[in-house]
Amino acid sequence: MYRYIALIVIIGLSYFLYTKFKQKGILWNEVYSRFMDGVKISIGNIKSRNKSDFLYKLRLGFYWFTIILVFLLIVTSFIPVVILGIHISGLFLLIHVIAALFFCFSFTGLVLLTAHSNKLLDSDLINQENKNKLYEKLSYWCIILFSIPAIVSIILMLYPIFGSEGIEFLNDTHRYSVLLLIVAATINTYYMIINNKKIN
Amino acid sequence: MIKSNFKIIYIALILGITLLLFGSINSQQNKIGDIRDGNRATPIHLLKLFDADSVQILKNDSLQIPLSTRYTCGECHSYNVINRGFHFNYADKKIASGRRSEPYIYMDWQKLTIIPLSNRDWKGTFNPAEIGISPMKFLDLFGTHLPGGGVGEIDSLISPDELFRMEVSGKLEVNCFACHDATRQYDPAEYSSQVQKQNYKWAPAGATSLAVVTGNASKMPENYDIYTPSTFADIDVRTTSPPAINYDLSKFNSNNMVFFDLKRKGENERCYYCHSSVHADNNYLNQWKSEEDVHIAKGMNCVDCHRNGLDHQMARGYRDEAEDFKRPELKSYTCEGCHLGVENRLETAGKNGAPTPLHKGMPNIHFEKLECTVCHSGNLPKENVELVKSSRAHKLGLHKSNKEPELFPHIQSTVFVRNENGRLEPSNIIYPSFWGIKKGDEIKPIPISDFDDSFNERIELDTLVNYGKWISINDSTLIDVLKYLNESSGNKENHVFITGGKVFEMNDGELESYREESAEYYSWAIGHNVRPASQSLGVNGCDDCHSFSSDFFFGNVLVESSVKSDSANYNSMTYYSDLNTVYQKLFSLTFLFRPWMKIMIIIFALIIIFVFVIYVSKGLFFITERGTALSSKEEMNNV
């Protein structure tokens, strides 16, 4: 069941991005450069951006490290679970387990260093032109919201607390949370690109 | 005239077909004991005895003839239906073979030969006929632990060359008493002893307390006939005597009927005679140190799970049995069937009070990759896999059985082998060792009758007595023997020697060896003894298996070879589990850091939750604050 839902979500997200970029007139070869700029702007907090700023570098480092780890986690879980329809095992499991630990670390760092810049402002609520910035922030907080059950479910699975049915429930919680997290992250990335266009 | 003749033939044909049909329908009718009336009390078996010619045996008969179970038990139960049951149908090619099981192991240590045999179509075994073992030879070799029927009885399976001998010994009918005799006096070892003497038709009665059997049919001439004294007039009765049976006449009542204390459900002791398996270690042969299967310890019987109906198709209890035999009801007699329920239908779960396992903290992938028995059955894994002895392979239970711990054949257990479903299962394994003929890619053992008397001398064994040590020969001896075998066939056949998982053959005068599937080990899954949850693998945590030196993954399995230059090799357990050793070692390392990992992830999760709660609270505060401010402004404007 999860397999089909995940496939529908992935196809749906791809369709969403395709139509939205088309509507906004963003060419595919522009996406990468806009995304890169969007990252720098969002992470760097444009008003106080200083390229020699240690925290900026740290934020950027955490961001890219998290992106790489998310990519690894998605590949090692989606290939067996969504594409092959089996549980994660073997090399996929080994990479997934190791990557998950580092993901928790880098994601925590990222949250600590970027949460404040994503707090809601007056302008986000009142100014209709800042609507996209509001969505970007909301999607950011959704990422954090969905990451909590994704991580907590795994922690609970590591202890002999739940039986087979409980573990199956936790497993489902993890999988669906991650799926929602991916939706939120995609939307967040989309608004980063869109907002960047506006700034330019 | 011709027309009327046709009419008569026509009527006769119709009548004949009708009679045949009626006869066949009639023969399939249930007998009085086939179906119960619903009364749950065990019926009393006060029976008339019948011999193999279906003639009643009377108390005062001058010549006492052994009872026939076909006619005595068959009086009330459909013997022919029973005779197609699992314990008797092993030679019936029409019956599905099911999961691989313990083979009959042909062994001749002086010829360095160990061959797993089975009439069933189990990969890795050879049909006894392929190596020249006739049905009677099969009974001589393995009949001690056969409950009769099959090759011992079915005419089409009996070799024409042995018909006269079979007339002397009689047929080895289904021994109903082997399972159903509820008295303590039934002696399975005596049954084995009678089978060894080829006293086939005397054996079932001889094992009961009803009769004493003497004599030895194997020593009788082929024209021996118990009804004709002249056929055994020449026998020297000082060395042997004709088979005879003496009934305990006090057991006959005035109606020439005998009471049999029989039980529908066979007792565990009866099963154990043929299905015992024990550590070869001397320590474990002391019974007080060994444990009982948890089901038995809780008061169950083997047949509570391994059930059968009149057809005697025993439920073996393995996962795919229902599909193999197209009997869906068998699904509920597996581990899952009783402990979890079939496809979550709870009505099948909890049979015999089976508890539902919790498996706390065990990732569900284990239930995809492992059979239940991996954690709950067999010996716990050890650094070096141990030897076990089994009833059938080591003739346990016989009078004067060999009690040496390391007696041939060497069966190693527990080895975790990947089965056809891709799951691991605890198994026993043996490595075959035999002289064979290679044709193309196929290697078959040389029939045992093809070895001449001088063969044993050619192997140049340095001992004439052997109690268990694996015999091995030098390369030079092996080369000599292979050359001799090739030359004796005029170099038309390519002879090979299989041992230690390798094929040895001569190639351009040189001895070469290589691994090949036909030389590989034969394994069969084990289901018992089942250990309770508190003694299962994994009860101490993940480290039971996922550790750097785990015996479960990296235990050593000895590959015994009969060639000195290739002896004493060990395989890692991963070889049998079809796993990658390097990967398993790496994966085990992650468990070394797992306690730290758990703590770190908890800390990270707490930080994320903390940040989230703070900012969400702030956000809510912000929204309510702005909401209130906006409302006040609007009110002011209105004023």
Side-chain angles (χ1 to χ4, degrees):
Chain A
M1 183 66 181
Y2 172 78
R3 215 180 149 189
Y4 301 111
I5 292 173
L7 277 171
I8 290 166
V9 168
I10 293 165
I11 293 165
L13 280 176
S14 309
Y15 182 73
F16 166 80
L17 289 177
Y18 171 76
T19 49
K20 284 289 179 186
F21 285 148
K22 205 172 176 184
Q23 276 174 14
K24 305 264 177 199
I26 299 173
L27 300 171
W28 283 105
N29 52 10
E30 288 174 51
V31 171
Y32 178 71
S33 58
R34 284 173 184 276
F35 171 66
M36 296 297 280
D37 286 345
V39 171
K40 285 170 194 168
I41 293 159
S42 288
I43 298 297
N45 195 1
I46 189 159
K47 284 174 188 169
S48 61
R49 189 169 67 175
N50 176 0
K51 284 196 172 179
S52 62
D53 178 10
F54 170 72
L55 281 176
Y56 168 72
K57 282 182 180 172
L58 196 64
R59 274 198 293 269
L60 208 60
F62 272 127
Y63 187 85
W64 284 115
F65 194 41
T66 308
I67 291 275
I68 291 164
L69 290 168
V70 165
F71 178 75
L72 266 179
L73 290 169
I74 290 175
V75 167
T76 54
S77 58
F78 275 41
I79 288 176
V81 176
V82 178
I83 297 171
L84 303 175
I86 54 171
H87 275 125
I88 312 176
S89 62
L91 200 61
F92 286 126
L93 182 62
L94 187 66
I95 297 169
H96 197 82
V97 167
I98 295 167
L101 175 66
F102 289 105
F103 168 78
C104 285
F105 165 71
S106 66
F107 186 68
T108 308
L110 194 67
V111 167
L112 279 174
L113 297 174
T114 58
H116 192 71
S117 62
N118 281 284
K119 69 178 183 180
L120 289 178
L121 300 171
D122 276 351
S123 56
D124 297 330
L125 285 177
I126 296 161
N127 194 346
Q128 284 299 304
E129 284 176 9
N130 269 2
K131 195 177 68 180
N132 285 344
K133 194 68 193 168
L134 174 68
Y135 291 151
E136 187 187 330
K137 286 182 177 177
L138 285 177
S139 59
Y140 170 86
W141 288 106
C142 281
I143 292 173
I144 298 179
L145 171 68
F146 296 130
S147 74
I148 293 168
I151 297 171
V152 171
S153 58
I154 290 296
I155 292 171
L156 292 173
M157 280 166 79
L158 292 173
Y159 288 93
I161 303 166
F162 294 95
S164 303
E165 285 177 13
I167 285 181
E168 192 57 41
F169 171 76
L170 291 172
N171 209 5
D172 283 342
T173 307
H174 178 72
R175 292 188 296 189
Y176 285 107
S177 305
V178 167
L179 201 58
L180 290 169
L181 194 151
I182 289 168
V183 172
T186 309
I187 292 169
N188 183 259
T189 310
Y190 165 73
Y191 281 111
M192 273 166 69
I193 294 167
I194 297 299
N195 292 342
N196 180 45
K197 187 187 173 191
K198 266 188 175 172
I199 289 157
N200 287 339
Chain B
M1 184 65 184
I2 294 166
K3 207 172 183 181
S4 69
N5 275 349
F6 268 119
K7 215 172 186 177
I8 291 165
I9 292 167
Y10 186 66
I11 291 165
L13 262 172
I14 288 177
L15 269 173
I17 290 167
T18 314
L19 279 170
L20 271 172
L21 275 174
F22 179 77
S24 107
I25 290 165
N26 199 37
S27 69
Q28 286 171 16
Q29 275 181 348
N30 288 315
K31 292 192 172 182
I32 192 169
D34 287 351
I35 297 176
R36 309 185 83 186
D37 61 3
N39 194 313
R40 295 171 76 172
T42 305
I44 290 299
H45 287 81
L46 193 59
L47 310 176
K48 289 176 183 171
L49 307 185
F50 294 93
D51 67 15
D53 296 319
S54 77
V55 176
Q56 190 184 353
I57 297 164
L58 303 175
K59 185 180 182 178
N60 298 323
D61 281 344
S62 55
L63 178 65
Q64 292 191 327
I65 304 294
L67 69 87
S68 152
T69 53
R70 172 179 281 276
Y71 293 105
T72 304
C73 307
E75 182 77 352
C76 299
H77 301 283
S78 295
Y79 182 90
N80 284 332
V81 175
I82 296 166
N83 200 7
R84 289 198 292 271
F86 178 71
H87 283 95
F88 321 110
N89 67 16
Y90 52 89
D92 189 343
K93 288 284 166 203
K94 290 177 197 154
I95 304 223
S97 300
R99 184 174 76 170
R100 281 201 311 269
S101 187
E102 182 177 356
Y104 287 97
I105 302 171
Y106 174 75
M107 198 184 63
D108 182 347
W109 67 268
Q110 290 179 315
K111 290 189 180 67
L112 313 172
T113 297
I114 286 181
I115 306 175
L117 301 175
S118 178
N119 292 84
R120 299 189 202 273
D121 194 15
W122 288 335
K123 194 180 172 193
T125 61
F126 294 92
N127 192 299
E130 282 182 281
I131 66 162
I133 292 181
S134 66
M136 247 183 133
K137 178 77 178 167
F138 185 79
L139 293 180
D140 282 345
L141 290 167
F142 308 113
T144 54
H145 291 78
L146 269 179
V151 296
E153 187 184 16
I154 298 167
D155 287 328
S156 60
L157 298 175
I158 296 169
S159 163
D161 301 339
E162 292 171 336
L163 279 175
F164 289 112
R165 263 293 13 122
M166 209 69 167
E167 282 298 311
V168 177
S169 62
K171 288 178 177 172
L172 188 64
E173 293 178 345
V174 170
N175 181 9
C176 308
F177 308 117
C179 302
H180 298 291
D181 191 327
T183 65
R184 290 281 156 214
Q185 290 130 309
Y186 177 81
D187 184 359
E190 180 59 26
Y191 171 81
S192 300
S193 172
Q194 296 303 332
V195 171
Q196 283 177 320
K197 293 172 193 164
Q198 291 187 353
N199 293 342
Y200 297 153
K201 69 179 169 187
W202 291 267
T208 67
S209 58
L210 175 65
V212 173
V213 171
T214 54
N216 189 332
S218 69
K219 305 280 184 192
M220 297 298 110
E222 288 200 346
N223 65 344
Y224 171 75
D225 178 10
I226 50 171
Y227 297 105
T228 317
S230 62
T231 63
F232 55 92
D234 301 333
I235 295 168
D236 184 353
V237 291
R238 286 170 301 187
T239 55
T240 185
S241 59
I245 185 164
N246 294 300
Y247 288 105
D248 179 353
L249 299 180
S250 67
K251 295 200 170 175
F252 285 75
N253 71 9
S254 54
N255 288 333
N256 279 305
M257 294 169 94
V258 174
F259 167 69
F260 284 92
D261 187 3
L262 301 177
K263 261 183 145 179
R264 187 172 64 86
K265 285 181 166 185
E267 303 230 354
N268 300 338
E269 297 289 322
R270 298 277 173 268
C271 308
Y272 275 158
Y273 184 71
C274 296
H275 297 287
S276 286
S277 180
V278 67
H279 274 274
D281 187 339
N282 255 336
N283 285 329
Y284 285 91
L285 293 174
N286 290 323
Q287 219 161 359
W288 68 275
K289 288 182 180 176
S290 59
E291 299 300 325
E292 193 53 276
D293 186 288
V294 68
H295 298 95
I296 305 285
K298 291 284 177 189
M300 288 174 68
N301 289 322
C302 307
V303 290
D304 287 333
C305 298
H306 300 292
R307 298 180 185 199
N308 66 278
L310 173 77
D311 60 9
H312 283 60
Q313 295 293 359
M314 311 294 296
R316 292 173 62 192
Y318 66 91
R319 188 181 296 276
D320 293 332
E321 190 177 17
E323 283 82 29
D324 285 352
F325 294 94
K326 297 180 177 60
R327 292 173 62 201
E329 73 274 15
L330 292 178
K331 278 201 172 211
S332 64
Y333 298 107
T334 59
C335 307
E336 274 184 49
C338 285
H339 289 279
L340 295 170
V342 177
E343 287 150 9
N344 297 324
R345 275 171 33 234
L346 291 175
E347 67 264 30
T348 66
K351 281 199 296 284
N352 291 307
T356 304
L358 294 172
H359 291 130
K360 279 186 176 175
M362 179 162 284
N364 290 350
I365 191 167
H366 289 81
F367 310 119
E368 239 179 49
K369 300 275 181 187
L370 311 175
E371 295 290 353
C372 310
T373 46
V374 164
C375 301
H376 292 280
S377 294
N379 304 338
L380 282 167
K382 298 270 168 63
E383 187 182 354
N384 291 316
V385 172
E386 295 164 308
L387 294 179
V388 293
K389 291 170 78 175
S390 84
S391 286
R392 287 189 281 163
H394 297 91
K395 304 264 181 227
L396 306 182
L398 296 191
H399 299 145
K400 298 177 185 171
S401 64
N402 191 330
K403 294 178 183 173
E404 279 294 316
E406 292 198 346
L407 186 68
F408 283 144
H410 286 178
I411 299 174
Q412 295 187 77
S413 185
T414 304
V415 181
F416 296 97
V417 177
R418 192 167 296 282
N419 65 18
E420 286 82 359
N421 296 329
R423 291 168 186 264
L424 292 187
E425 59 188 4
S427 303
N428 290 346
I429 68 161
I430 54 162
Y431 271 93
S433 178
F434 59 84
W435 303 93
I437 301 168
K438 187 179 175 188
K439 281 180 186 166
D441 290 336
E442 195 180 39
I443 297 174
K444 289 206 165 170
I446 300 172
I448 55 172
S449 54
D450 288 5
F451 289 101
D452 60 34
D453 295 340
S454 65
F455 189 82
N456 287 5
E457 292 164 23
R458 288 181 185 278
I459 293 180
E460 296 173 356
L461 297 179
D462 51 7
T463 176
L464 293 174
V465 186
N466 185 4
Y467 289 114
K469 189 173 170 290
W470 192 269
I471 299 293
S472 52
I473 53 174
N474 293 319
D475 283 7
S476 56
T477 310
L478 178 58
I479 291 167
D480 285 347
V481 175
L482 285 173
K483 275 182 181 169
Y484 162 75
L485 288 169
N486 285 338
E487 281 162 12
S488 57
S489 70
N491 285 318
K492 285 177 187 164
E493 288 173 336
N494 182 20
H495 287 84
V496 296
F497 183 52
I498 279 181
T499 189
K502 286 182 182 170
V503 180
F504 292 84
E505 70 173 311
M506 297 302 295
N507 194 356
D508 292 333
E510 295 288 319
L511 181 69
E512 69 171 26
S513 67
Y514 52 91
R515 288 196 172 277
E516 205 188 81
E517 200 183 357
S518 52
E520 276 295 1
Y521 62 93
Y522 176 80
S523 69
W524 63 100
I526 49 172
H528 300 282
N529 287 341
V530 177
R531 297 188 304 272
S534 53
Q535 292 188 339
S536 60
L537 201 56
V539 72
N540 304 311
C542 309
D543 289 357
D544 270 5
C545 300
H546 297 290
S547 65
F548 205 67
S549 57
S550 151
D551 296 327
F552 173 77
F553 282 121
F554 314 115
N556 298 316
V557 182
L558 180 63
V559 183
E560 286 183 302
S561 175
S562 299
V563 178
K564 276 198 173 96
S565 58
D566 196 50
S567 59
N569 288 324
Y570 285 92
N571 276 341
S572 166
M573 193 73 82
T574 49
Y575 177 79
Y576 306 88
S577 310
D578 196 19
L579 292 167
N580 185 300
T581 308
V582 177
Y583 167 76
Q584 290 304 332
K585 291 262 182 193
L586 276 175
F587 192 59
S588 298
L589 275 178
T590 66
F591 287 82
L592 202 65
F593 305 111
R594 191 162 279 207
W596 292 101
M597 192 179 88
K598 285 179 189 174
I599 294 166
M600 282 166 72
I601 294 179
I602 290 170
I603 293 169
F604 294 145
L606 286 173
I607 293 170
I608 293 168
I609 292 168
F610 194 63
V611 170
F612 184 75
V613 168
I614 288 173
Y615 278 90
V616 166
S617 308
K618 270 189 166 181
L620 288 172
F621 177 74
F622 170 80
I623 289 166
T624 51
E625 190 189 43
R626 289 293 172 274
T628 313
L630 284 170
S631 306
S632 308
K633 206 174 175 184
E634 279 167 12
E635 277 170 18
M636 286 295 287
N637 286 340
N638 288 337
V639 169

